[in-house]
Amino acid sequence: MKRIATIQDISCIGKCSLTVALPIISATGVETAIVPTAVLSTHTQFSGFTFRDLTDDMEPIRDHWKKEGFKFDALYTGYLGSLRQIDIVKSYFKEFGAEGTFKIVDPAMADNGKLYYGFDENFAREMGTLCAESDIALPNISEAALMLGIEYPGEDASEETVKDILKKLTGIGIKFPVITGVTLSDGTFGFIGYDSAKDEFISYGAEKIPYKSHGTGDVYASAFTGALVNGKSVYDALVIAANFTTACIRNSYNDPDRVDYAVNFELEIPYLLKLLGK
Ligand code: PXL
């Protein structure tokens, strides 16, 4: 069985980070090892959340895994809580990111032009240096702008603007940035990426559903990781993740009992398996 390791927090309620990555990637038939970076009562969009920092456990976990000789087909990181955690993740990349191990970074730290609670511009720049060590980085428009220190162009940034930002991201060393949550010129909603090795832009859009919810970036990156490790090409895995995430958003949009802090990803897992041909 293929095995990945994902490094991010546990938000006990919030359907993000590990409570999304574990079920989605496991459902795709991939062993999902975890490094919990913190335990929060909820994600940080709620007020009054608890936060237990687990940074001190990250290096001992790494060292034990190294001693045991564990290998991974992918390393996937999401929300990280501090500059020190970014540094430690780089050491995981060094130890376990050998040739053939995909390094996927979702720099989960901002949306709608604003950093999440507790982050600053310096953290965003440092996240850029982690993305520079990835094979694929999956920022949204806000995260891309913040890593570059440029003005936020808005959620409806044009394809030309997004392409310009992608080229700028390669300027800070990011080999294959893919900006998610982009509205394409035909009105569809999806991603635009730039493969600097091939000097090639890629894009895909699915139906744009008039509903925005928290946690969709985590759903997207998790489905992408599962699809990629299942042998799909980068482009096909990105498209599968876009179609799956769109289905999750649609499911919540049509559900009068939906929660307002995340999407109904659980109900669309059968569809993800269908997209994967399982
Ligand atoms: O969905 C990204 C995310 C992950 N983890 C925590 C968060 C957020 C977004 O707010 O607060 C703790």
Side-chain angles (χ1 to χ4, degrees):
M1 189 182 276
K2 303 265 189 178
R3 176 194 293 129
I4 71 108
T6 182
I7 308 174
Q8 39 190 331
D9 69 280
I10 297 176
S11 291
C12 299
I13 288 188
K15 298 209 270 185
C16 64
S17 323
L18 288 182
T19 64
V20 164
L22 256 177
I24 291 178
I25 301 169
S26 296
T28 70
V30 173
E31 179 182 344
T32 307
I34 61 167
V35 182
T37 55
V39 178
L40 296 82
S41 51
T42 62
H43 64 50
T44 61
Q45 307 301 297
F46 290 83
S47 57
F49 60 87
T50 69
F51 188 101
R52 180 168 301 277
D53 182 62
L54 298 178
T55 308
D56 286 344
D57 289 299
M58 292 173 70
E59 288 172 301
I61 291 170
R62 177 201 63 203
D63 295 344
H64 183 210
W65 285 4
K66 188 173 175 234
K67 210 162 133 217
E68 294 288 337
F70 289 122
K71 303 259 187 293
F72 301 95
D73 296 290
L75 303 172
Y76 154 41
T77 77
Y79 179 99
L80 299 171
S82 63
L83 296 175
R84 190 170 153 225
Q85 289 193 351
I86 292 176
D87 259 0
I88 296 173
V89 166
K90 288 179 183 172
S91 75
Y92 272 78
F93 282 5
K94 216 159 151 197
E95 289 298 347
F96 303 109
E99 197 113 326
T101 299
F102 293 111
K103 290 172 291 234
I104 300 157
V105 175
D106 174 5
M109 60 183 170
D111 207 358
N112 295 312
K114 287 199 189 71
L115 283 158
Y116 296 149
Y117 178 88
F119 295 141
D120 60 17
E121 276 75 21
N122 187 36
F123 180 86
R125 300 278 190 152
E126 271 307 300
M127 194 55 112
T129 69
L130 181 62
C131 287
E133 296 194 14
S134 71
D135 296 303
I136 307 276
L138 299 168
N140 60 28
I141 297 171
S142 307
E143 290 153 354
L146 282 156
M147 287 193 290
L148 291 169
I150 61 172
E151 202 179 321
Y152 168 60
E155 288 305 287
D156 291 326
S158 69
E159 286 194 27
E160 283 60 42
T161 301
V162 171
K163 285 181 175 170
D164 180 53
I165 291 174
L166 284 164
K167 284 258 174 149
K168 288 194 171 105
L169 289 171
T170 65
I172 60 167
I174 306 178
K175 292 194 283 283
F176 198 152
V178 177
I179 299 185
T180 58
V182 174
T183 301
L184 303 180
S185 50
D186 63 3
T188 59
F189 187 69
F191 66 82
I192 305 180
Y194 179 63
D195 181 349
S196 64
K198 292 189 188 156
D199 188 21
E200 187 180 277
F201 285 103
I202 55 170
S203 68
Y204 175 77
E207 184 192 356
K208 184 168 183 172
I209 299 175
Y211 176 69
K212 193 166 159 102
S213 166
H214 215 71
T216 50
D218 300 10
V219 168
Y220 188 89
S222 299
F224 169 72
T225 301
L228 192 68
V229 173
N230 268 276
K232 301 293 180 191
S233 68
V234 169
Y235 183 75
D236 288 351
L238 289 167
V239 169
I240 286 169
N243 288 332
F244 173 60
T245 307
T246 299
C248 297
I249 296 169
R250 185 187 296 111
N251 193 306
S252 287
Y253 178 64
N254 290 330
D255 176 6
D257 295 325
R258 65 178 171 258
V259 295
D260 63 2
Y261 52 81
V263 289
N264 291 356
F265 77 88
E266 301 90 335
L267 300 172
E268 296 297 339
I269 283 180
Y271 175 58
L272 173 61
L273 300 189
K274 213 162 117 192
L275 290 170
L276 289 169
K278 288 192 176 273

